[in-house]
Amino acid sequence: MGQDSEHALLERLEQLNRIGAALSRERDTERLLASILDAAKELLGADGGTLYRVREDGQALRFAIVRTDSLGLRLGGPGEEAPQFPDLPLHQADGSPNDRLVAVHAAVHDRTVNIADAYCQKNFDFSGTRAFDARTGYRSQSFLTVPMKNHEHELIGVLQLINARACEGGAVRAFSAQDQHLAESLASQAAIALSNRQLIGQLEHLFESFVQLINLAIDEKSPYTGGHCQRVPALTMALAEAAHACTQGPLAEFAMTERDRYELKMAGLLHDCGKITTPVHVVDKATKLQTIFDRIDLIDTRFEVLKRDAQIDTLRHQLALRPVQDAVAEAQLQQQLQQHMRQLHTERDFLRSSNQGSEAMSEAAQQRVRDIAQAHQWRNPQGVRTAFLTAEEVDNLTIRAGTLTQAERDVINHHIVATIKMLESLPWPGHLKNVPEYAGGHHERMDGRGYPRGLTREQMSWQARMLGLADIFEALTAVDRPYKRGMKLSEALAIMQRMTDGGHIDPDLFAIFVRERVYLRYAQQFLDPAQVDID
């Protein structure tokens, strides 16, 4: 081998090493496929080429990337039109190999096929190639077809190069033995890179499926929290993109890579995974007396018992008056009964209203509940006269705002502690290491008065603060909660402004949320049109 030839070979080997290193770094499958073919064309000086992938059912090859430089033809890959050529079956109808097609022959028999001139080749069917040449005026001549197999020796694709060009003059030449060895080496490296990318993609898909499985489990427990687990990530990502696009102000330096986006998306999907440990009757508590069922019906029953007792007492007194035929006394008894019945009706309606928890309860209303509890006794199923309302029922009916007691709020709030414990127990890879911090901080406040860790604004990442804002807005506007109505945009934004002023929400993020109308894009996708009262 001459010195020039040896130098040229060393250059090509160095180029092959650089190509292999570049392919191993590529994370996007479409870009990887395009890079494989483009690198092979450059390495061997080919004018065109095709990269085939094995179809999902394993029965055919499909065109993934097609390139012909002299025709300006680019099909497949990022930003390019997808190839529309028919797939190439690997076997005939009788099950025999489809050996008439050179790409299939190389794939089925695991051998490289090097053809100097397709038009002179009798062993393979190049009718499709001839038809392409007739349409375009091209002349397909030399072909080098190399199968691509992964580490388990499974076929994953075929690399085909067309029309090798001479270094001087650019005339079409046959692919040399050295070209073939380089192409086989590149195909091997490319197959490993593509296989690794596929394996990573499969693992990511498996991980995302587990995440969705957790949300499905929460959804099966409660459809209200299930919808929340899907909407919060969507709103978080919309806010993050608005912050990413910001070119001035405190967030001008905030930027995200695709890996950053994926990490935040996963944190959003998992931010309430701890709710899988929360009792469903607490999560979905629609009224103050609800546990597994709404116990207001038990109180209704007690009122009916009081009415029957009152009627029975009245009848007894009437019977006692019968021997003396005191019509006036009987009329007074009936009047007293009707008055007592009206009082019981009024008290029952008041307790039913108090049970809803839709408005803040005044101290006077709370005291009236206690008075009703003390004013009556009823005969329980054991025949024992007992207090009309239990202490636990009084505690529930006198909840000042909402439907949860403090103990139940503690149970609800514990879900974030459970979320943190669950997420911090996982062996996160480097590009997802911040998921626990992002997901675990959405109930913190900027002034340090949040929970569970009492973090201040400076101790939290932008992403954790974004999740917190999204969590609040979704909760205010959600229409599927059993215990409240979904607020209109103007109401929700007014409350969030007060929360921002009060040190709850990050002011810089809320400014972007309003200025970039992130709320409106979210509303168009998730809210009822009647809630959209501003633009």
Side-chain angles (χ1 to χ4, degrees):
M1 180 183 294
Q3 187 173 1
D4 290 343
S5 298
E6 185 176 346
H7 179 69
L9 177 58
L10 287 174
E11 284 188 347
R12 296 179 85 182
L13 290 174
E14 289 179 2
Q15 185 180 4
L16 179 63
N17 289 334
R18 290 195 299 272
I19 291 170
L23 294 179
S24 68
R25 290 192 297 267
E26 181 55 66
R27 294 182 53 80
D28 181 81
T29 300
E30 289 299 312
R31 284 199 297 266
L32 176 59
L33 293 171
S35 297
I36 291 170
L37 182 56
D38 291 339
K41 285 171 54 273
E42 181 184 354
L43 181 65
L44 274 64
D47 181 56
T50 301
L51 184 65
Y52 302 91
R53 294 192 70 183
V54 178
R55 202 169 64 191
E56 286 74 10
D57 61 6
Q59 299 302 309
L61 297 177
R62 63 178 180 85
F63 289 79
I65 309 290
V66 178
R67 300 283 189 266
T68 305
D69 293 345
S70 59
L71 294 178
L73 179 65
R74 297 181 62 84
L75 298 175
E80 305 289 354
E81 181 182 350
Q84 300 299 322
F85 305 114
D87 295 344
L88 309 181
L90 294 179
H91 297 89
Q92 307 275 18
D94 61 2
S96 62
N98 190 9
D99 284 330
R100 293 293 292 164
L101 301 177
V102 64
V104 173
H105 178 86
V108 171
H109 296 284
D110 189 21
R111 60 181 291 261
T112 300
V113 180
N114 191 342
I115 298 173
D117 191 339
Y119 282 26
C120 300
Q121 178 59 240
K122 303 301 183 183
N123 295 329
F124 299 107
D125 180 7
F126 282 100
S127 58
T129 300
R130 289 176 179 270
F132 174 82
D133 290 353
R135 289 196 310 270
T136 61
Y138 192 68
R139 171 64 165 92
S140 302
Q141 185 173 326
S142 57
F143 279 72
L144 182 61
T145 308
V146 186
M148 298 170 59
K149 294 202 169 185
N150 64 16
H151 61 289
E152 295 181 342
H153 208 63
E154 297 171 335
L155 181 71
I156 61 173
V158 173
L159 175 63
Q160 187 174 75
L161 299 171
I162 303 173
N163 286 0
R165 295 286 186 179
C167 294
E168 296 181 4
V172 177
R173 61 172 178 83
F175 289 97
S176 67
Q178 184 185 104
D179 291 335
Q180 181 173 327
H181 293 321
L182 288 171
E184 289 171 344
S185 179
L186 174 59
S188 177
Q189 294 186 54
I192 292 172
L194 182 57
S195 180
N196 287 341
R197 183 61 252 166
Q198 288 175 325
L199 288 172
I200 292 172
Q202 290 168 0
L203 288 173
E204 288 177 345
H205 179 66
L206 179 63
F207 169 66
E208 290 179 28
S209 298
F210 272 118
V211 171
Q212 296 296 345
L213 187 65
I214 291 172
N215 284 341
L216 177 62
I218 296 173
D219 197 8
E220 288 297 315
K221 286 182 63 177
S222 167
Y224 316 114
T225 54
H228 174 81
C229 290
Q230 300 302 319
R231 291 188 293 265
V232 168
L235 181 55
T236 300
M237 296 311 298
L239 177 56
E241 291 298 342
H244 175 79
C246 189
T247 57
Q248 57 184 3
L251 281 120
E253 301 299 321
F254 178 79
M256 295 185 297
T257 64
E258 288 305 312
R259 302 184 89 181
D260 294 333
R261 289 179 171 88
Y262 184 74
E263 184 178 40
L264 181 56
K265 173 188 170 184
M266 288 299 102
L269 288 170
L270 287 166
H271 82 283
D272 267 352
C273 65
K275 282 185 177 176
I276 200 168
T277 67
T278 306
V280 66
H281 72 271
V282 177
V283 175
D284 292 352
K285 191 181 182 190
T287 65
K288 294 179 180 181
L289 289 175
Q290 182 171 328
T291 51
I292 298 175
F293 64 97
D294 192 349
R295 292 173 295 162
I296 193 68
D297 294 330
L298 296 180
I299 294 177
D300 283 346
T301 301
R302 293 174 202 167
F303 273 113
E304 291 301 318
V305 171
L306 291 181
K307 292 178 186 177
R308 299 299 179 270
D309 286 349
Q311 290 172 336
I312 291 170
D313 286 344
T314 300
L315 289 172
R316 283 174 176 166
H317 284 89
Q318 286 179 322
L319 287 173
L321 293 171
R322 282 298 175 185
V324 296
Q325 296 291 321
D326 191 341
V328 175
E330 288 193 27
Q332 289 177 339
L333 287 172
Q334 284 294 328
Q335 185 178 4
Q336 291 172 359
L337 174 63
Q338 293 303 319
Q339 183 178 355
H340 187 53
M341 289 293 188
R342 285 194 296 272
Q343 178 186 351
L344 291 177
H345 274 294
T346 301
E347 290 175 345
R348 184 186 67 177
D349 290 343
F350 170 71
L351 292 184
R352 293 187 68 87
S353 175
S354 299
N355 186 46
Q356 296 304 309
S358 56
E359 297 181 0
M361 197 173 198
S362 66
E363 290 186 9
Q366 291 174 318
Q367 185 57 47
R368 187 178 178 189
V369 171
R370 299 185 188 99
D371 292 341
I372 292 173
Q374 296 172 359
H376 306 291
Q377 287 188 330
W378 73 296
R379 197 176 301 277
N380 65 21
Q382 288 74 40
V384 178
R385 296 188 66 81
T386 187
F388 183 68
L389 297 176
T390 67
E392 189 268 344
E393 289 169 342
V394 172
D395 287 342
N396 276 270
L397 286 170
T398 54
I399 294 170
R400 193 186 68 81
T403 62
L404 299 176
T405 65
Q406 185 56 51
E408 289 166 337
R409 288 189 183 277
D410 291 341
V411 171
I412 287 286
N413 291 346
H414 180 73
H415 83 272
I416 189 62
V417 177
T419 294
I420 293 171
K421 286 182 178 179
M422 290 168 65
L423 296 182
E424 287 186 345
S425 69
L426 296 177
W428 296 97
H431 67 290
L432 294 175
K433 63 179 174 25
N434 293 312
V435 166
E437 190 264 324
Y438 296 167
H442 69 277
H443 283 302
E444 303 290 352
R445 292 172 50 118
M446 301 305 102
D447 57 11
R449 294 164 54 199
Y451 62 90
R453 290 172 170 163
L455 301 177
T456 63
R457 181 189 187 195
E458 292 74 18
Q459 294 173 301
M460 299 169 63
S461 63
W462 284 114
Q463 288 88 337
R465 289 179 250 173
M466 290 174 188
L467 256 172
L469 188 152
D471 189 71
I472 292 169
F473 184 79
E474 191 281 336
L476 292 175
T477 57
V479 297
D480 56 5
R481 305 296 168 85
Y483 47 81
K484 59 176 282 297
R485 66 175 180 84
M487 293 184 181
K488 295 182 178 180
L489 289 182
S490 60
E491 296 175 298
L493 291 177
I495 289 175
M496 292 181 72
Q497 181 61 65
R498 292 195 294 271
M499 295 176 78
T500 301
D501 296 339
H504 196 138
I505 296 173
D506 186 277
D508 297 324
L509 286 176
F510 185 64
I512 291 177
F513 185 76
V514 174
R515 185 177 68 243
E516 301 301 323
R517 291 181 170 83
V518 177
Y519 61 85
L520 189 59
R521 296 198 296 273
Y522 173 85
Q524 291 167 347
Q525 184 177 357
F526 293 107
L527 300 189
D528 189 290
Q531 292 177 267
V532 184
D533 60 342
I534 57 175
D535 55 20

